[in-house]
Amino acid sequence: MAQITLPPVAKSFFTACKKCGADRYHTVLTHTSSTSAKIQCEVCKSNKTYTLPKAGSMAKKAVPGTKTKTGRVRKTSHADDFQALQTNRGTEKGIPFSIKTKFEVNQKIDHPTFGSGYVKTAQLDRIDVMFEGEVKTLMHNKV
Ligand SMILES: [Zn+2]
């Protein structure tokens, strides 16, 4: 993708002038930031601020969720992730959930309220468990 940059100071470029109601040559007076400049219409001499179109904003939005650490394309749908686990491990018997039990990553849980879940992350006293509807943080390992 070509990087769009401001025209240099003292150069002219063609852009719309609202006062003239037409495209006019404008002289760049000064750069006010890396993406905006003060410009002057060569016909009506009106000053205005010219801002570059935000070409970077769309590219930035595409960054999250492109690839995981493992390099595979990240799934964005929770339902897909859960379904994949169910397909692989649906017949596996879950460990009945109890706050006193110490769970580990990847264990399957059978929760009385939320149903089957899979431990995504485990800390000393809490676990993130992927249930069908959402990921829930639960306490565990409580004596
Ligand atoms: Zn003008």
Side-chain angles (χ1 to χ4, degrees):
M1 190 174 64
Q3 181 67 42
I4 306 166
T5 51
L6 287 168
V9 173
K11 292 279 180 187
S12 299
F13 72 107
F14 209 54
T15 190
C17 175
K18 275 185 190 151
K19 206 166 176 186
C20 297
D23 282 357
R24 298 291 190 209
Y25 276 103
H26 287 74
T27 308
V28 179
L29 301 174
T30 178
H31 289 175
T32 52
S33 79
S34 61
T35 54
S36 61
K38 281 225 183 315
I39 59 173
Q40 185 180 54
C41 175
E42 291 187 353
V43 177
C44 70
K45 303 292 180 191
S46 69
N47 291 347
K48 63 206 75 178
T49 301
Y50 173 78
T51 309
L52 282 176
K54 286 195 173 65
S57 60
M58 273 175 70
K60 269 181 200 161
K61 273 182 190 168
V63 172
T66 43
K67 288 198 169 181
T68 64
K69 272 183 254 173
T70 56
R72 85 190 158 91
V73 176
R74 183 192 190 127
K75 283 182 185 168
T76 48
S77 163
H78 172 90
D80 284 353
D81 282 355
F82 185 82
Q83 197 54 50
L85 282 165
Q86 281 288 64
T87 305
N88 292 332
R89 303 174 61 184
T91 55
E92 196 179 310
K93 191 163 166 51
I95 303 160
F97 178 79
S98 160
I99 202 164
K100 292 178 183 170
T101 310
K102 185 176 187 289
F103 292 98
E104 285 166 18
V105 173
N106 276 329
Q107 282 181 327
K108 184 174 177 181
I109 285 178
D110 188 15
H111 195 283
T113 311
F114 307 126
S116 294
Y118 302 90
V119 182
K120 284 173 68 81
T121 61
Q123 294 169 48
L124 197 61
D125 62 346
R126 63 191 57 203
I127 46 175
D128 287 334
V129 187
M130 179 182 267
F131 292 104
E132 185 161 13
E134 60 188 313
V135 173
K136 287 193 177 291
T137 302
L138 304 172
M139 304 283 234
H140 78 136
N141 199 21
K142 292 277 181 193
V143 235

